[in-house]
PDB file of all heavy atoms in Angstrom:
ATOM      1  N   PRO B  15      -8.526 -36.491   6.708  1.00  0.00           N
ATOM      2  CA  PRO B  15      -7.545 -35.850   5.710  1.00  0.00           C
ATOM      3  C   PRO B  15      -7.080 -36.750   4.574  1.00  0.00           C
ATOM      4  O   PRO B  15      -7.135 -37.996   4.733  1.00  0.00           O
ATOM      5  CB  PRO B  15      -6.279 -35.601   6.647  1.00  0.00           C
ATOM      6  CG  PRO B  15      -6.963 -35.445   7.946  1.00  0.00           C
ATOM      7  CD  PRO B  15      -7.984 -36.421   8.031  1.00  0.00           C
ATOM      8  N   LEU B  16      -6.813 -36.287   3.374  1.00  0.00           N
ATOM      9  CA  LEU B  16      -6.502 -37.005   2.248  1.00  0.00           C
ATOM     10  C   LEU B  16      -5.438 -36.280   1.518  1.00  0.00           C
ATOM     11  O   LEU B  16      -5.487 -35.005   1.359  1.00  0.00           O
ATOM     12  CB  LEU B  16      -7.707 -37.245   1.331  1.00  0.00           C
ATOM     13  CG  LEU B  16      -7.776 -38.412   0.353  1.00  0.00           C
ATOM     14  CD1 LEU B  16      -7.472 -39.694   1.120  1.00  0.00           C
ATOM     15  CD2 LEU B  16      -9.045 -38.337  -0.411  1.00  0.00           C
ATOM     16  N   ASN B  17      -4.356 -36.937   0.880  1.00  0.00           N
ATOM     17  CA  ASN B  17      -3.361 -36.240   0.206  1.00  0.00           C
ATOM     18  C   ASN B  17      -2.509 -35.246   0.952  1.00  0.00           C
ATOM     19  O   ASN B  17      -2.022 -34.398   0.486  1.00  0.00           O
ATOM     20  CB  ASN B  17      -3.893 -35.509  -1.046  1.00  0.00           C
ATOM     21  CG  ASN B  17      -4.644 -36.486  -1.988  1.00  0.00           C
ATOM     22  OD1 ASN B  17      -4.259 -37.646  -2.133  1.00  0.00           O
ATOM     23  ND2 ASN B  17      -5.731 -35.949  -2.599  1.00  0.00           N
ATOM     24  N   GLY B  18      -2.610 -35.367   2.360  1.00  0.00           N
ATOM     25  CA  GLY B  18      -1.976 -34.435   3.121  1.00  0.00           C
ATOM     26  C   GLY B  18      -2.776 -33.082   3.262  1.00  0.00           C
ATOM     27  O   GLY B  18      -2.426 -32.103   3.941  1.00  0.00           O
ATOM     28  N   VAL B  19      -4.014 -33.186   2.813  1.00  0.00           N
ATOM     29  CA  VAL B  19      -4.978 -32.032   2.961  1.00  0.00           C
ATOM     30  C   VAL B  19      -5.923 -32.337   4.060  1.00  0.00           C
ATOM     31  O   VAL B  19      -6.575 -33.429   4.056  1.00  0.00           O
ATOM     32  CB  VAL B  19      -5.755 -31.808   1.723  1.00  0.00           C
ATOM     33  CG1 VAL B  19      -6.766 -30.702   1.788  1.00  0.00           C
ATOM     34  CG2 VAL B  19      -4.847 -31.490   0.517  1.00  0.00           C
ATOM     35  N   ASP B  20      -6.024 -31.417   5.040  1.00  0.00           N
ATOM     36  CA  ASP B  20      -6.894 -31.543   6.183  1.00  0.00           C
ATOM     37  C   ASP B  20      -8.215 -31.197   5.676  1.00  0.00           C
ATOM     38  O   ASP B  20      -8.730 -30.031   5.897  1.00  0.00           O
ATOM     39  CB  ASP B  20      -6.466 -30.759   7.226  1.00  0.00           C
ATOM     40  CG  ASP B  20      -7.294 -30.927   8.531  1.00  0.00           C
ATOM     41  OD1 ASP B  20      -8.349 -31.611   8.536  1.00  0.00           O
ATOM     42  OD2 ASP B  20      -6.845 -30.514   9.715  1.00  0.00           O
ATOM     43  N   THR B  21      -8.905 -32.118   4.967  1.00  0.00           N
ATOM     44  CA  THR B  21     -10.201 -31.781   4.355  1.00  0.00           C
ATOM     45  C   THR B  21     -11.269 -31.195   5.260  1.00  0.00           C
ATOM     46  O   THR B  21     -12.002 -30.296   4.911  1.00  0.00           O
ATOM     47  CB  THR B  21     -10.743 -33.101   3.500  1.00  0.00           C
ATOM     48  OG1 THR B  21      -9.572 -33.789   3.054  1.00  0.00           O
ATOM     49  CG2 THR B  21     -11.612 -32.745   2.462  1.00  0.00           C
ATOM     50  N   PRO B  22     -11.460 -31.806   6.461  1.00  0.00           N
ATOM     51  CA  PRO B  22     -12.502 -31.318   7.360  1.00  0.00           C
ATOM     52  C   PRO B  22     -12.240 -29.788   7.743  1.00  0.00           C
ATOM     53  O   PRO B  22     -13.016 -28.935   7.688  1.00  0.00           O
ATOM     54  CB  PRO B  22     -12.415 -32.132   8.625  1.00  0.00           C
ATOM     55  CG  PRO B  22     -11.719 -33.370   8.093  1.00  0.00           C
ATOM     56  CD  PRO B  22     -10.842 -33.105   7.017  1.00  0.00           C
ATOM     57  N   LYS B  23     -10.888 -29.513   7.864  1.00  0.00           N
ATOM     58  CA  LYS B  23     -10.559 -28.113   8.218  1.00  0.00           C
ATOM     59  C   LYS B  23     -10.714 -27.168   7.054  1.00  0.00           C
ATOM     60  O   LYS B  23     -11.154 -26.058   7.093  1.00  0.00           O
ATOM     61  CB  LYS B  23      -9.055 -28.088   8.559  1.00  0.00           C
ATOM     62  CG  LYS B  23      -8.667 -26.691   9.221  1.00  0.00           C
ATOM     63  CD  LYS B  23      -7.114 -26.702   9.620  1.00  0.00           C
ATOM     64  CE  LYS B  23      -6.713 -25.196   9.879  1.00  0.00           C
ATOM     65  NZ  LYS B  23      -5.197 -25.113  10.046  1.00  0.00           N
ATOM     66  N   LEU B  24     -10.519 -27.709   5.750  1.00  0.00           N
ATOM     67  CA  LEU B  24     -10.742 -27.006   4.498  1.00  0.00           C
ATOM     68  C   LEU B  24     -12.148 -26.616   4.428  1.00  0.00           C
ATOM     69  O   LEU B  24     -12.569 -25.444   4.119  1.00  0.00           O
ATOM     70  CB  LEU B  24     -10.254 -27.772   3.314  1.00  0.00           C
ATOM     71  CG  LEU B  24     -10.445 -27.190   1.915  1.00  0.00           C
ATOM     72  CD1 LEU B  24      -9.609 -25.857   1.782  1.00  0.00           C
ATOM     73  CD2 LEU B  24      -9.942 -28.153   0.847  1.00  0.00           C
ATOM     74  N   PHE B  25     -13.055 -27.696   4.629  1.00  0.00           N
ATOM     75  CA  PHE B  25     -14.565 -27.370   4.500  1.00  0.00           C
ATOM     76  C   PHE B  25     -15.007 -26.338   5.568  1.00  0.00           C
ATOM     77  O   PHE B  25     -15.830 -25.586   5.317  1.00  0.00           O
ATOM     78  CB  PHE B  25     -15.332 -28.709   4.521  1.00  0.00           C
ATOM     79  CG  PHE B  25     -15.079 -29.495   3.195  1.00  0.00           C
ATOM     80  CD1 PHE B  25     -14.727 -30.678   3.178  1.00  0.00           C
ATOM     81  CD2 PHE B  25     -15.450 -28.731   2.014  1.00  0.00           C
ATOM     82  CE1 PHE B  25     -14.700 -31.507   2.060  1.00  0.00           C
ATOM     83  CE2 PHE B  25     -15.348 -29.507   0.839  1.00  0.00           C
ATOM     84  CZ  PHE B  25     -14.983 -30.789   0.901  1.00  0.00           C
ATOM     85  N   ALA B  26     -14.360 -26.542   6.758  1.00  0.00           N
ATOM     86  CA  ALA B  26     -14.805 -25.626   7.874  1.00  0.00           C
ATOM     87  C   ALA B  26     -14.400 -24.281   7.572  1.00  0.00           C
ATOM     88  O   ALA B  26     -15.178 -23.261   7.703  1.00  0.00           O
ATOM     89  CB  ALA B  26     -14.099 -26.123   9.205  1.00  0.00           C
ATOM     90  N   THR B  27     -13.151 -24.091   6.965  1.00  0.00           N
ATOM     91  CA  THR B  27     -12.743 -22.693   6.672  1.00  0.00           C
ATOM     92  C   THR B  27     -13.643 -22.090   5.632  1.00  0.00           C
ATOM     93  O   THR B  27     -13.986 -20.943   5.665  1.00  0.00           O
ATOM     94  CB  THR B  27     -11.131 -22.810   6.042  1.00  0.00           C
ATOM     95  OG1 THR B  27     -10.424 -23.379   7.136  1.00  0.00           O
ATOM     96  CG2 THR B  27     -10.689 -21.484   5.742  1.00  0.00           C
ATOM     97  N   ILE B  28     -13.970 -22.935   4.636  1.00  0.00           N
ATOM     98  CA  ILE B  28     -14.863 -22.442   3.501  1.00  0.00           C
ATOM     99  C   ILE B  28     -16.272 -21.990   4.102  1.00  0.00           C
ATOM    100  O   ILE B  28     -16.710 -20.844   3.770  1.00  0.00           O
ATOM    101  CB  ILE B  28     -15.180 -23.393   2.487  1.00  0.00           C
ATOM    102  CG1 ILE B  28     -13.720 -23.709   1.636  1.00  0.00           C
ATOM    103  CG2 ILE B  28     -16.192 -23.177   1.500  1.00  0.00           C
ATOM    104  CD1 ILE B  28     -13.710 -24.829   0.623  1.00  0.00           C
ATOM    105  N   ASN B  29     -16.715 -22.756   5.062  1.00  0.00           N
ATOM    106  CA  ASN B  29     -18.068 -22.375   5.678  1.00  0.00           C
ATOM    107  C   ASN B  29     -17.818 -21.063   6.551  1.00  0.00           C
ATOM    108  O   ASN B  29     -18.803 -20.307   6.494  1.00  0.00           O
ATOM    109  CB  ASN B  29     -18.562 -23.602   6.583  1.00  0.00           C
ATOM    110  CG  ASN B  29     -19.381 -24.475   5.685  1.00  0.00           C
ATOM    111  OD1 ASN B  29     -19.968 -24.143   4.688  1.00  0.00           O
ATOM    112  ND2 ASN B  29     -19.169 -25.752   6.022  1.00  0.00           N
ATOM    113  N   VAL B  30     -16.792 -20.923   7.247  1.00  0.00           N
ATOM    114  CA  VAL B  30     -16.657 -19.679   8.114  1.00  0.00           C
ATOM    115  C   VAL B  30     -16.587 -18.509   7.131  1.00  0.00           C
ATOM    116  O   VAL B  30     -17.229 -17.431   7.424  1.00  0.00           O
ATOM    117  CB  VAL B  30     -15.391 -19.806   9.004  1.00  0.00           C
ATOM    118  CG1 VAL B  30     -14.958 -18.552   9.556  1.00  0.00           C
ATOM    119  CG2 VAL B  30     -15.553 -20.920   9.989  1.00  0.00           C
ATOM    120  N   VAL B  31     -15.723 -18.552   6.065  1.00  0.00           N
ATOM    121  CA  VAL B  31     -15.683 -17.447   5.200  1.00  0.00           C
ATOM    122  C   VAL B  31     -16.921 -17.181   4.465  1.00  0.00           C
ATOM    123  O   VAL B  31     -17.288 -15.978   4.341  1.00  0.00           O
ATOM    124  CB  VAL B  31     -14.534 -17.755   4.135  1.00  0.00           C
ATOM    125  CG1 VAL B  31     -14.440 -16.580   3.052  1.00  0.00           C
ATOM    126  CG2 VAL B  31     -13.212 -17.855   4.865  1.00  0.00           C
ATOM    127  N   LYS B  32     -17.712 -18.161   4.113  1.00  0.00           N
ATOM    128  CA  LYS B  32     -19.048 -17.935   3.530  1.00  0.00           C
ATOM    129  C   LYS B  32     -19.967 -17.141   4.484  1.00  0.00           C
ATOM    130  O   LYS B  32     -20.560 -16.181   3.823  1.00  0.00           O
ATOM    131  CB  LYS B  32     -19.676 -19.314   3.542  1.00  0.00           C
ATOM    132  CG  LYS B  32     -20.774 -19.446   2.396  1.00  0.00           C
ATOM    133  CD  LYS B  32     -21.236 -20.840   2.265  1.00  0.00           C
ATOM    134  CE  LYS B  32     -22.227 -21.106   1.223  1.00  0.00           C
ATOM    135  NZ  LYS B  32     -22.585 -22.560   0.977  1.00  0.00           N
ATOM    136  N   GLY B  33     -19.824 -17.323   5.721  1.00  0.00           N
ATOM    137  CA  GLY B  33     -20.711 -16.445   6.596  1.00  0.00           C
ATOM    138  C   GLY B  33     -20.049 -15.124   6.993  1.00  0.00           C
ATOM    139  O   GLY B  33     -20.819 -14.169   7.434  1.00  0.00           O
ATOM    140  N   GLN B  34     -18.753 -14.844   6.832  1.00  0.00           N
ATOM    141  CA  GLN B  34     -18.097 -13.595   7.080  1.00  0.00           C
ATOM    142  C   GLN B  34     -17.215 -13.287   5.981  1.00  0.00           C
ATOM    143  O   GLN B  34     -15.917 -13.476   6.012  1.00  0.00           O
ATOM    144  CB  GLN B  34     -17.287 -13.858   8.385  1.00  0.00           C
ATOM    145  CG  GLN B  34     -18.110 -13.990   9.633  1.00  0.00           C
ATOM    146  CD  GLN B  34     -17.188 -14.319  10.827  1.00  0.00           C
ATOM    147  OE1 GLN B  34     -16.931 -15.440  11.233  1.00  0.00           O
ATOM    148  NE2 GLN B  34     -16.674 -13.204  11.408  1.00  0.00           N
ATOM    149  N   PRO B  35     -17.688 -12.667   4.921  1.00  0.00           N
ATOM    150  CA  PRO B  35     -16.911 -12.474   3.575  1.00  0.00           C
ATOM    151  C   PRO B  35     -15.674 -11.525   3.980  1.00  0.00           C
ATOM    152  O   PRO B  35     -14.799 -11.660   3.093  1.00  0.00           O
ATOM    153  CB  PRO B  35     -17.885 -11.671   2.729  1.00  0.00           C
ATOM    154  CG  PRO B  35     -19.236 -12.069   3.213  1.00  0.00           C
ATOM    155  CD  PRO B  35     -19.066 -12.291   4.765  1.00  0.00           C
TER     156      PRO B  35
END
Side-chain angles (χ1 to χ4, degrees):
Chain B
L16 201 59
N17 302 322
V19 175
D20 188 342
T21 324
K23 191 181 167 192
L24 179 62
F25 286 126
T27 301
I28 291 173
N29 274 327
V30 168
V31 174
K32 201 173 185 174
Q34 294 172 263

